[in-house]
Amino acid sequence: MDFLKDPLKVAADWLLGIFAGWGMAELWADILIAFLGIFVLIALLMLLDILLVWIERKVVSRFQSRIGPNRLGPFGLIQPFADIIKLLIKEDTTPEGADRALYNLAPILSMMAVLILWAVMPLAPTILNVDLNVGVLYIIAAGAIGTLSIIMAGWSSNNKYSLIGAFREAAVMLSFEIPMLTMMLIPTIFAGSMGVAAITQAQDVWYFFLAPLAAVIFLVAAIAELGRSPFDMGEAESELVSGYNIEYSGMKFGMFYAGELLHAFTFGGFWAILFFGGYRFFGLEQVSAFLAIAILFFKAFIGYWIIMWIKYTLLRIRIDHMLAFNWKFLTPVAFTLLMTTAFMNALLADAPSWLYVGGMFLSNVLLAWAALETARYYSRREREKVEGTQKVAPT
Amino acid sequence: MVPLSWYLIFSAALFSVGLFGVLTRRNAVAILLGVELMLNSVNVNLAAFWRYGNVTDIAGQVFAIIVFAVAAAEVSVGLALVISIYRKRNTVIADDLDMLKF
Amino acid sequence: MTVDQVIFLAVALLTLFAALRVVTTGNIVHAAFWLIAALFGVAVIFALLNASFLAVVQVVVYIGAIAMLFIFAVMLTRKEMRDRGPQLNPNWRFGALLAAVAFGGLLLIVNGWSGVTKTASAVPSDFDAVSALGNALVSPDAYVLPFEVASVLLVAALIGAVYVAFNQK
């Protein structure tokens, strides 16, 4: 029963017993066990990543009325392994004039930026990984490393397309970080803590019902941060061939690709944790840690599916429109929402929970409506301006 | 536990390296890089004094946060100046910017 | 030597090496990337000092924003300067001397100060540095005025930077 509740502690104690039997000092045994834990987590994540390749390909083919991989193994499940073998035996090229050290470092950093996010992911009530009290900021910090890897890849490739792609992507990521961080502060206000685990534990009511607008803005900003369509400025295929990773081949490209997929899934997970209760589901998480992980992964897959749905449905937005959308619409709305939420939180601090939830929900809906109306008013005025000149032109 | 003096020596070394960069670099952007190193060394000192003094008195961390804000402001204005100068004079070498000299 | 000391020494030496590369390397883009390495090192030092908030803000603000700005600025101002020619002043020896004197002076001050042997007391288990910091920044009895001044400074810098760098046609 203990193993079902807290498998990590049981395993650690068991290992500690074995290592102590070998006459190892407790300090070194602890360090070794921590490393083993990290190793196992990363190995499992990599396995998940291989599965994600298959899921992504299956889902996109369904969106495009195809079947997708279906030859190798049942439902084409072996296909991603074949892909990996292909990537591994491909020629590993380095372009002429590339900056070798940075060129080789970039894919590693890109993968690392995703993997370190899992350090703060609370998987179950007993498996919190690292319970950092600034977890929300940590997520943004990991995103900064991702931006760094893209700039590195773009510059060191010594290729104009990749440099343009990297510049665009970095501009997008820097701008969309602001609404994303602002939206992460809203669960922080509700939970009274920046720790991701504390936010999960405080969610007796899913924060989606308290702040639906925040959840939507967070998702939009996260998609931009991931560099996925409709915000895939970094690798706009029709303009930049392949963007910042154009010069990469073999497993180095595979690192970027796998990193992107795992990043999308991870942000599905963080969306679930911040706004949909994480591993919590009507007390089921208390039964077993494995059940809690399954609940979290189920929610994360739903978030991932929504990100894919948006990716394969919408067209790419032009870069200036995208930055204007962020600075003139998303960021002001995010700041207004943050102020409104803080104000309502202080106002309704002593109110019964139904009033609290209702007030928060209504204020969000009202703000969303006002923001959309304002945007519509301005866009209509803009359109009339353009159409007015067009009417003049032919005569 | 790491002795306090190690932090102070580390921060002094970082400060001196930054000072060297500020004094000797020709590129204006590189001079700003040196200034960043110096600001960082100050932050290390502030955090170390907070940790080794009275922990419940949060002043050291507050000062460090203010330094962050000042660094961000300094970099944004400094780089804007560098880019503006580059547009007008097509150089970022600090020695060549001698319009005020006769 | 304890684990803390080993980690500190390794990180401090790497940080100083990266800082030296920042000020000596000929390639300015490399200098900017070395600066990022040095800033990471300082973030680890903050983490060693139990200042987790500072460590994370260091990564977010310095690496995520300031270093990115540097890389952008370096790449935008590179027509003239393809890393040819000397990167240091002709009188760099004088600069090195001055830096060495500054280091020596600081060492002397550290050496002469009586508080240097102070040891850190353990952080109280019920003390939350992040919430204490947040309270201190907005409490009128503490640091709300510097905080507001910093925000005014940031707004002024924002407007000033946009005005200075704006390309008037």
Side-chain angles (χ1 to χ4, degrees), chain A residues 127-157:
Chain A
I127 307 175
L128 299 173
N129 294 337
V130 184
D131 189 7
L132 210 61
N133 59 355
V134 286
V136 166
L137 276 177
Y138 179 89
I139 298 170
I140 298 285
I145 297 172
T147 319
L148 179 66
S149 77
I150 285 172
I151 276 274
M152 235 182 217
W155 183 76
S156 64
S157 300

PDB file of all heavy atoms in Angstrom, chain A residues 127-157:
ATOM      1  N   ILE A 127       4.940  13.164  -5.198  1.00  0.00           N
ATOM      2  CA  ILE A 127       6.066  13.331  -6.127  1.00  0.00           C
ATOM      3  C   ILE A 127       6.024  14.759  -6.645  1.00  0.00           C
ATOM      4  O   ILE A 127       5.381  15.059  -7.641  1.00  0.00           O
ATOM      5  CB  ILE A 127       5.987  12.336  -7.293  1.00  0.00           C
ATOM      6  CG1 ILE A 127       5.849  10.916  -6.769  1.00  0.00           C
ATOM      7  CG2 ILE A 127       7.249  12.448  -8.143  1.00  0.00           C
ATOM      8  CD1 ILE A 127       5.643   9.911  -7.842  1.00  0.00           C
ATOM      9  N   LEU A 128       6.684  15.674  -5.928  1.00  0.00           N
ATOM     10  CA  LEU A 128       6.636  17.076  -6.319  1.00  0.00           C
ATOM     11  C   LEU A 128       7.862  17.475  -7.110  1.00  0.00           C
ATOM     12  O   LEU A 128       7.980  18.610  -7.528  1.00  0.00           O
ATOM     13  CB  LEU A 128       6.539  17.959  -5.071  1.00  0.00           C
ATOM     14  CG  LEU A 128       5.315  17.724  -4.210  1.00  0.00           C
ATOM     15  CD1 LEU A 128       5.436  18.533  -2.932  1.00  0.00           C
ATOM     16  CD2 LEU A 128       4.069  18.117  -4.946  1.00  0.00           C
ATOM     17  N   ASN A 129       8.791  16.538  -7.324  1.00  0.00           N
ATOM     18  CA  ASN A 129      10.101  16.882  -7.857  1.00  0.00           C
ATOM     19  C   ASN A 129      10.708  17.954  -6.961  1.00  0.00           C
ATOM     20  O   ASN A 129      10.818  17.737  -5.772  1.00  0.00           O
ATOM     21  CB  ASN A 129      10.012  17.312  -9.310  1.00  0.00           C
ATOM     22  CG  ASN A 129       9.580  16.171 -10.197  1.00  0.00           C
ATOM     23  OD1 ASN A 129       9.757  15.023  -9.824  1.00  0.00           O
ATOM     24  ND2 ASN A 129       9.030  16.470 -11.342  1.00  0.00           N
ATOM     25  N   VAL A 130      11.044  19.147  -7.487  1.00  0.00           N
ATOM     26  CA  VAL A 130      11.583  20.189  -6.617  1.00  0.00           C
ATOM     27  C   VAL A 130      10.464  21.158  -6.287  1.00  0.00           C
ATOM     28  O   VAL A 130       9.854  21.731  -7.181  1.00  0.00           O
ATOM     29  CB  VAL A 130      12.720  20.959  -7.321  1.00  0.00           C
ATOM     30  CG1 VAL A 130      13.326  21.961  -6.364  1.00  0.00           C
ATOM     31  CG2 VAL A 130      13.773  20.024  -7.823  1.00  0.00           C
ATOM     32  N   ASP A 131      10.176  21.318  -5.001  1.00  0.00           N
ATOM     33  CA  ASP A 131       9.089  22.223  -4.617  1.00  0.00           C
ATOM     34  C   ASP A 131       9.672  23.625  -4.430  1.00  0.00           C
ATOM     35  O   ASP A 131       9.880  24.087  -3.318  1.00  0.00           O
ATOM     36  CB  ASP A 131       8.423  21.727  -3.344  1.00  0.00           C
ATOM     37  CG  ASP A 131       7.174  22.521  -3.054  1.00  0.00           C
ATOM     38  OD1 ASP A 131       6.798  23.335  -3.913  1.00  0.00           O
ATOM     39  OD2 ASP A 131       6.595  22.339  -1.979  1.00  0.00           O
ATOM     40  N   LEU A 132       9.916  24.302  -5.548  1.00  0.00           N
ATOM     41  CA  LEU A 132      10.549  25.619  -5.516  1.00  0.00           C
ATOM     42  C   LEU A 132       9.485  26.659  -5.170  1.00  0.00           C
ATOM     43  O   LEU A 132       8.391  26.622  -5.717  1.00  0.00           O
ATOM     44  CB  LEU A 132      11.132  25.903  -6.899  1.00  0.00           C
ATOM     45  CG  LEU A 132      12.355  26.785  -6.986  1.00  0.00           C
ATOM     46  CD1 LEU A 132      13.481  26.150  -6.224  1.00  0.00           C
ATOM     47  CD2 LEU A 132      12.745  26.935  -8.444  1.00  0.00           C
ATOM     48  N   ASN A 133       9.814  27.617  -4.281  1.00  0.00           N
ATOM     49  CA  ASN A 133       8.794  28.601  -3.934  1.00  0.00           C
ATOM     50  C   ASN A 133       8.722  29.738  -4.950  1.00  0.00           C
ATOM     51  O   ASN A 133       7.948  30.672  -4.772  1.00  0.00           O
ATOM     52  CB  ASN A 133       9.010  29.145  -2.513  1.00  0.00           C
ATOM     53  CG  ASN A 133      10.355  29.800  -2.364  1.00  0.00           C
ATOM     54  OD1 ASN A 133      11.157  29.778  -3.289  1.00  0.00           O
ATOM     55  ND2 ASN A 133      10.609  30.384  -1.222  1.00  0.00           N
ATOM     56  N   VAL A 134       9.523  29.687  -6.008  1.00  0.00           N
ATOM     57  CA  VAL A 134       9.394  30.655  -7.088  1.00  0.00           C
ATOM     58  C   VAL A 134       9.174  29.911  -8.407  1.00  0.00           C
ATOM     59  O   VAL A 134       9.635  30.334  -9.451  1.00  0.00           O
ATOM     60  CB  VAL A 134      10.620  31.573  -7.190  1.00  0.00           C
ATOM     61  CG1 VAL A 134      10.627  32.583  -6.093  1.00  0.00           C
ATOM     62  CG2 VAL A 134      11.891  30.772  -7.179  1.00  0.00           C
ATOM     63  N   GLY A 135       8.445  28.793  -8.325  1.00  0.00           N
ATOM     64  CA  GLY A 135       8.289  27.914  -9.477  1.00  0.00           C
ATOM     65  C   GLY A 135       7.782  28.612 -10.723  1.00  0.00           C
ATOM     66  O   GLY A 135       8.216  28.321 -11.837  1.00  0.00           O
ATOM     67  N   VAL A 136       6.845  29.577 -10.538  1.00  0.00           N
ATOM     68  CA  VAL A 136       6.250  30.246 -11.687  1.00  0.00           C
ATOM     69  C   VAL A 136       7.298  31.033 -12.462  1.00  0.00           C
ATOM     70  O   VAL A 136       7.357  30.979 -13.700  1.00  0.00           O
ATOM     71  CB  VAL A 136       5.112  31.154 -11.184  1.00  0.00           C
ATOM     72  CG1 VAL A 136       4.705  32.111 -12.249  1.00  0.00           C
ATOM     73  CG2 VAL A 136       3.935  30.307 -10.764  1.00  0.00           C
ATOM     74  N   LEU A 137       8.172  31.717 -11.724  1.00  0.00           N
ATOM     75  CA  LEU A 137       9.240  32.470 -12.386  1.00  0.00           C
ATOM     76  C   LEU A 137      10.241  31.527 -13.044  1.00  0.00           C
ATOM     77  O   LEU A 137      10.817  31.846 -14.075  1.00  0.00           O
ATOM     78  CB  LEU A 137       9.979  33.347 -11.378  1.00  0.00           C
ATOM     79  CG  LEU A 137       9.357  34.690 -11.083  1.00  0.00           C
ATOM     80  CD1 LEU A 137      10.164  35.388 -10.026  1.00  0.00           C
ATOM     81  CD2 LEU A 137       9.339  35.538 -12.330  1.00  0.00           C
ATOM     82  N   TYR A 138      10.414  30.363 -12.423  1.00  0.00           N
ATOM     83  CA  TYR A 138      11.349  29.374 -12.954  1.00  0.00           C
ATOM     84  C   TYR A 138      10.939  28.946 -14.358  1.00  0.00           C
ATOM     85  O   TYR A 138      11.783  28.764 -15.236  1.00  0.00           O
ATOM     86  CB  TYR A 138      11.381  28.179 -12.007  1.00  0.00           C
ATOM     87  CG  TYR A 138      12.292  27.063 -12.420  1.00  0.00           C
ATOM     88  CD1 TYR A 138      13.611  27.067 -12.031  1.00  0.00           C
ATOM     89  CD2 TYR A 138      11.822  26.010 -13.197  1.00  0.00           C
ATOM     90  CE1 TYR A 138      14.449  26.044 -12.405  1.00  0.00           C
ATOM     91  CE2 TYR A 138      12.650  24.985 -13.576  1.00  0.00           C
ATOM     92  CZ  TYR A 138      13.955  25.007 -13.174  1.00  0.00           C
ATOM     93  OH  TYR A 138      14.784  23.991 -13.555  1.00  0.00           O
ATOM     94  N   ILE A 139       9.614  28.839 -14.578  1.00  0.00           N
ATOM     95  CA  ILE A 139       9.133  28.438 -15.903  1.00  0.00           C
ATOM     96  C   ILE A 139       9.553  29.481 -16.936  1.00  0.00           C
ATOM     97  O   ILE A 139      10.014  29.150 -18.035  1.00  0.00           O
ATOM     98  CB  ILE A 139       7.607  28.276 -15.867  1.00  0.00           C
ATOM     99  CG1 ILE A 139       7.230  27.167 -14.896  1.00  0.00           C
ATOM    100  CG2 ILE A 139       7.059  27.979 -17.246  1.00  0.00           C
ATOM    101  CD1 ILE A 139       5.766  27.097 -14.608  1.00  0.00           C
ATOM    102  N   ILE A 140       9.426  30.764 -16.575  1.00  0.00           N
ATOM    103  CA  ILE A 140       9.825  31.839 -17.492  1.00  0.00           C
ATOM    104  C   ILE A 140      11.338  31.805 -17.712  1.00  0.00           C
ATOM    105  O   ILE A 140      11.831  32.011 -18.823  1.00  0.00           O
ATOM    106  CB  ILE A 140       9.394  33.202 -16.921  1.00  0.00           C
ATOM    107  CG1 ILE A 140       7.873  33.261 -16.796  1.00  0.00           C
ATOM    108  CG2 ILE A 140       9.898  34.331 -17.780  1.00  0.00           C
ATOM    109  CD1 ILE A 140       7.175  33.451 -18.091  1.00  0.00           C
ATOM    110  N   ALA A 141      12.075  31.510 -16.644  1.00  0.00           N
ATOM    111  CA  ALA A 141      13.538  31.470 -16.763  1.00  0.00           C
ATOM    112  C   ALA A 141      13.954  30.372 -17.732  1.00  0.00           C
ATOM    113  O   ALA A 141      14.869  30.561 -18.543  1.00  0.00           O
ATOM    114  CB  ALA A 141      14.165  31.246 -15.389  1.00  0.00           C
ATOM    115  N   ALA A 142      13.273  29.224 -17.658  1.00  0.00           N
ATOM    116  CA  ALA A 142      13.586  28.146 -18.598  1.00  0.00           C
ATOM    117  C   ALA A 142      13.282  28.596 -20.022  1.00  0.00           C
ATOM    118  O   ALA A 142      14.020  28.269 -20.954  1.00  0.00           O
ATOM    119  CB  ALA A 142      12.777  26.902 -18.245  1.00  0.00           C
ATOM    120  N   GLY A 143      12.211  29.378 -20.192  1.00  0.00           N
ATOM    121  CA  GLY A 143      11.893  29.902 -21.516  1.00  0.00           C
ATOM    122  C   GLY A 143      12.994  30.809 -22.035  1.00  0.00           C
ATOM    123  O   GLY A 143      13.291  30.823 -23.229  1.00  0.00           O
ATOM    124  N   ALA A 144      13.645  31.556 -21.125  1.00  0.00           N
ATOM    125  CA  ALA A 144      14.744  32.439 -21.542  1.00  0.00           C
ATOM    126  C   ALA A 144      15.876  31.616 -22.137  1.00  0.00           C
ATOM    127  O   ALA A 144      16.510  32.028 -23.116  1.00  0.00           O
ATOM    128  CB  ALA A 144      15.241  33.242 -20.345  1.00  0.00           C
ATOM    129  N   ILE A 145      16.121  30.419 -21.571  1.00  0.00           N
ATOM    130  CA  ILE A 145      17.182  29.568 -22.115  1.00  0.00           C
ATOM    131  C   ILE A 145      16.789  29.072 -23.495  1.00  0.00           C
ATOM    132  O   ILE A 145      17.627  28.957 -24.398  1.00  0.00           O
ATOM    133  CB  ILE A 145      17.469  28.411 -21.147  1.00  0.00           C
ATOM    134  CG1 ILE A 145      17.983  28.985 -19.843  1.00  0.00           C
ATOM    135  CG2 ILE A 145      18.485  27.462 -21.732  1.00  0.00           C
ATOM    136  CD1 ILE A 145      18.109  27.987 -18.764  1.00  0.00           C
ATOM    137  N   GLY A 146      15.498  28.806 -23.701  1.00  0.00           N
ATOM    138  CA  GLY A 146      15.041  28.401 -25.025  1.00  0.00           C
ATOM    139  C   GLY A 146      15.295  29.482 -26.062  1.00  0.00           C
ATOM    140  O   GLY A 146      15.783  29.212 -27.167  1.00  0.00           O
ATOM    141  N   THR A 147      14.989  30.748 -25.694  1.00  0.00           N
ATOM    142  CA  THR A 147      15.265  31.864 -26.600  1.00  0.00           C
ATOM    143  C   THR A 147      16.750  31.922 -26.940  1.00  0.00           C
ATOM    144  O   THR A 147      17.130  32.127 -28.098  1.00  0.00           O
ATOM    145  CB  THR A 147      14.864  33.190 -25.925  1.00  0.00           C
ATOM    146  OG1 THR A 147      13.644  32.990 -25.241  1.00  0.00           O
ATOM    147  CG2 THR A 147      14.720  34.289 -26.934  1.00  0.00           C
ATOM    148  N   LEU A 148      17.552  31.724 -25.917  1.00  0.00           N
ATOM    149  CA  LEU A 148      19.008  31.755 -26.100  1.00  0.00           C
ATOM    150  C   LEU A 148      19.447  30.709 -27.114  1.00  0.00           C
ATOM    151  O   LEU A 148      20.260  30.991 -28.007  1.00  0.00           O
ATOM    152  CB  LEU A 148      19.647  31.497 -24.740  1.00  0.00           C
ATOM    153  CG  LEU A 148      21.151  31.460 -24.691  1.00  0.00           C
ATOM    154  CD1 LEU A 148      21.672  32.826 -25.006  1.00  0.00           C
ATOM    155  CD2 LEU A 148      21.586  31.027 -23.319  1.00  0.00           C
ATOM    156  N   SER A 149      18.896  29.499 -27.000  1.00  0.00           N
ATOM    157  CA  SER A 149      19.318  28.430 -27.907  1.00  0.00           C
ATOM    158  C   SER A 149      18.940  28.784 -29.342  1.00  0.00           C
ATOM    159  O   SER A 149      19.705  28.485 -30.274  1.00  0.00           O
ATOM    160  CB  SER A 149      18.676  27.110 -27.490  1.00  0.00           C
ATOM    161  OG  SER A 149      17.338  27.069 -27.890  1.00  0.00           O
ATOM    162  N   ILE A 150      17.795  29.441 -29.519  1.00  0.00           N
ATOM    163  CA  ILE A 150      17.372  29.762 -30.885  1.00  0.00           C
ATOM    164  C   ILE A 150      18.281  30.816 -31.490  1.00  0.00           C
ATOM    165  O   ILE A 150      18.727  30.693 -32.638  1.00  0.00           O
ATOM    166  CB  ILE A 150      15.902  30.193 -30.874  1.00  0.00           C
ATOM    167  CG1 ILE A 150      15.035  28.965 -30.685  1.00  0.00           C
ATOM    168  CG2 ILE A 150      15.533  30.896 -32.163  1.00  0.00           C
ATOM    169  CD1 ILE A 150      13.613  29.256 -30.466  1.00  0.00           C
ATOM    170  N   ILE A 151      18.604  31.852 -30.714  1.00  0.00           N
ATOM    171  CA  ILE A 151      19.520  32.889 -31.207  1.00  0.00           C
ATOM    172  C   ILE A 151      20.874  32.266 -31.544  1.00  0.00           C
ATOM    173  O   ILE A 151      21.485  32.554 -32.568  1.00  0.00           O
ATOM    174  CB  ILE A 151      19.695  33.983 -30.127  1.00  0.00           C
ATOM    175  CG1 ILE A 151      18.569  34.989 -30.218  1.00  0.00           C
ATOM    176  CG2 ILE A 151      21.004  34.683 -30.272  1.00  0.00           C
ATOM    177  CD1 ILE A 151      18.814  36.096 -31.199  1.00  0.00           C
ATOM    178  N   MET A 152      21.327  31.370 -30.674  1.00  0.00           N
ATOM    179  CA  MET A 152      22.604  30.705 -30.885  1.00  0.00           C
ATOM    180  C   MET A 152      22.590  29.925 -32.189  1.00  0.00           C
ATOM    181  O   MET A 152      23.517  30.034 -32.999  1.00  0.00           O
ATOM    182  CB  MET A 152      22.816  29.723 -29.733  1.00  0.00           C
ATOM    183  CG  MET A 152      24.093  29.910 -28.989  1.00  0.00           C
ATOM    184  SD  MET A 152      24.142  28.642 -27.755  1.00  0.00           S
ATOM    185  CE  MET A 152      24.896  29.515 -26.453  1.00  0.00           C
ATOM    186  N   ALA A 153      21.541  29.127 -32.383  1.00  0.00           N
ATOM    187  CA  ALA A 153      21.459  28.314 -33.594  1.00  0.00           C
ATOM    188  C   ALA A 153      21.415  29.211 -34.822  1.00  0.00           C
ATOM    189  O   ALA A 153      22.109  28.961 -35.815  1.00  0.00           O
ATOM    190  CB  ALA A 153      20.213  27.428 -33.541  1.00  0.00           C
ATOM    191  N   GLY A 154      20.610  30.277 -34.756  1.00  0.00           N
ATOM    192  CA  GLY A 154      20.455  31.140 -35.917  1.00  0.00           C
ATOM    193  C   GLY A 154      21.741  31.845 -36.275  1.00  0.00           C
ATOM    194  O   GLY A 154      22.097  31.944 -37.448  1.00  0.00           O
ATOM    195  N   TRP A 155      22.458  32.330 -35.269  1.00  0.00           N
ATOM    196  CA  TRP A 155      23.665  33.095 -35.566  1.00  0.00           C
ATOM    197  C   TRP A 155      24.807  32.200 -36.006  1.00  0.00           C
ATOM    198  O   TRP A 155      25.525  32.502 -36.952  1.00  0.00           O
ATOM    199  CB  TRP A 155      24.093  33.911 -34.355  1.00  0.00           C
ATOM    200  CG  TRP A 155      25.285  34.739 -34.671  1.00  0.00           C
ATOM    201  CD1 TRP A 155      25.304  35.881 -35.401  1.00  0.00           C
ATOM    202  CD2 TRP A 155      26.634  34.461 -34.323  1.00  0.00           C
ATOM    203  NE1 TRP A 155      26.581  36.345 -35.516  1.00  0.00           N
ATOM    204  CE2 TRP A 155      27.412  35.492 -34.869  1.00  0.00           C
ATOM    205  CE3 TRP A 155      27.239  33.448 -33.606  1.00  0.00           C
ATOM    206  CZ2 TRP A 155      28.783  35.527 -34.702  1.00  0.00           C
ATOM    207  CZ3 TRP A 155      28.601  33.479 -33.446  1.00  0.00           C
ATOM    208  CH2 TRP A 155      29.360  34.521 -33.992  1.00  0.00           C
ATOM    209  N   SER A 156      24.966  31.052 -35.291  1.00  0.00           N
ATOM    210  CA  SER A 156      26.156  30.248 -35.540  1.00  0.00           C
ATOM    211  C   SER A 156      26.068  29.495 -36.861  1.00  0.00           C
ATOM    212  O   SER A 156      27.084  29.042 -37.364  1.00  0.00           O
ATOM    213  CB  SER A 156      26.367  29.263 -34.393  1.00  0.00           C
ATOM    214  OG  SER A 156      25.295  28.372 -34.346  1.00  0.00           O
ATOM    215  N   SER A 157      24.870  29.354 -37.444  1.00  0.00           N
ATOM    216  CA  SER A 157      24.757  28.617 -38.695  1.00  0.00           C
ATOM    217  C   SER A 157      25.364  29.372 -39.864  1.00  0.00           C
ATOM    218  O   SER A 157      25.568  28.785 -40.925  1.00  0.00           O
ATOM    219  CB  SER A 157      23.295  28.321 -39.008  1.00  0.00           C
ATOM    220  OG  SER A 157      22.732  27.561 -38.003  1.00  0.00           O
TER     221      SER A 157
END
